Amino acid sequence: MQNIVLFGPPGAGKGTQSKMLVEKRNLVHLSTGDLLRSEKEAGTELGLKAKILMDQGKLVPDEVVIGMIRNKLETNTNANGFIFDGFPRTEKQAEALDELLKELNTSISGMFALEVEDEELITRLLERGKDSGRADDQNREVIENRLKVYENETAILRSYYRKQEKFNSINGFGALEEVFNRLNSAIG
Ligand code: ADP
């Protein structure tokens, strides 16, 4: 199995690059952001609780996202591998993911971090907010809060994966195809 963590701050292009990777490599795309938004749209209790946090740019509790990922891993046992997008976002999530994959006799093949400067991220997210309908993309303060949460809680995962010799840095600035080529050659 090829299990890839696509890492990076909000707006780095993880969702777009994941879709392109899925087409090329026949992997299952697991985005906790997408899963949470589906729950929200379905109006489930979980979705409604998550919405309050998401709209403020805060993280949803670890147990919630870990549970969603566990479900998806259990229902996709025949997959060639997975692309994890927006997960893990905390050290606790990273540890849980390692455990879950171990139960399936597999592991993370590599972590690929898309690097984009903050000013560019803010521009991209505000632009996306014009037609994504996402409340968290439409407010500069919420965007800045998401970037702060990334710095404070998520960026530390670079060293988590560096210790496992799985960390790869990818320049995320440039045309979609250009970034995709960089990513593909790094994945190998
Ligand atoms: P982005 O990376 O552009 O912020 P996502 O769709 O990945 O977009 O995430 C949107 C929101 O969903 C986050 O701000 C957070 O509230 C919630 N979320 C997504 N993934 C996680 C996660 N792994 N842990 C906690 N909260 C999450």
Side-chain angles (χ1 to χ4, degrees):
M1 270 177 125
Q2 189 172 38
N3 301 306
I4 292 169
V5 172
L6 202 52
F7 191 78
K14 302 183 295 288
T16 311
Q17 296 295 332
S18 293
K19 288 197 187 94
M20 294 163 84
L21 278 176
V22 163
E23 276 181 30
K24 195 176 164 103
R25 294 177 183 253
N26 192 23
L27 302 170
V28 174
H29 178 209
L30 295 183
S31 155
T32 41
D34 287 351
L35 292 171
L36 289 166
R37 279 184 290 277
S38 313
E39 293 282 341
K40 193 182 86 180
E41 272 147 37
T44 65
E45 195 185 330
L46 187 161
L48 297 176
K49 280 191 185 150
K51 177 189 178 343
I52 298 170
L53 295 165
M54 292 167 82
D55 287 353
Q56 299 174 46
K58 292 181 182 164
L59 293 184
V60 169
D62 287 331
E63 310 78 65
V64 172
V65 286
I66 292 168
M68 291 193 315
I69 291 288
R70 181 186 292 118
N71 271 337
K72 288 289 168 186
L73 292 178
E74 284 169 1
T75 50
N76 284 284
T77 44
N78 291 326
N80 274 335
F82 296 92
I83 300 178
F84 298 96
D85 160 7
F87 181 92
R89 257 173 156 96
T90 64
E91 200 152 319
K92 194 163 163 210
Q93 292 177 22
E95 285 164 2
L97 179 59
D98 280 346
E99 278 304 309
L100 288 170
L101 291 175
K102 207 164 146 191
E103 284 166 25
L104 300 174
N105 291 317
T106 185
S107 60
I108 292 297
S109 321
M111 183 264 224
F112 300 86
L114 293 172
E115 318 279 4
V116 179
E117 282 176 11
D118 276 10
E119 264 319 301
E120 167 73 7
L121 294 172
I122 294 172
T123 308
R124 287 186 188 181
L125 290 169
L126 286 171
E127 192 55 38
R128 184 170 79 185
K130 287 182 191 164
D131 46 34
S132 69
R134 281 179 57 173
D136 62 345
D137 284 346
Q138 287 168 12
N139 178 311
R140 200 179 173 102
E141 253 171 59
V142 173
I143 290 175
E144 282 170 356
N145 197 39
R146 284 155 69 197
L147 294 175
K148 217 180 288 162
V149 168
Y150 173 80
E151 271 318 312
N152 294 342
E153 302 184 46
T154 306
I156 189 172
L157 293 180
R158 295 161 162 283
S159 42
Y160 183 91
Y161 287 102
R162 212 176 258 129
K163 272 183 216 145
Q164 297 189 3
E165 295 180 10
K166 290 177 181 170
F167 174 81
N168 299 271
S169 173
I170 311 289
N171 177 2
F173 191 80
L176 293 184
E177 288 294 340
E178 224 175 297
V179 177
F180 186 59
N181 290 338
R182 287 179 202 136
L183 195 53
N184 257 309
S185 29
I187 294 172

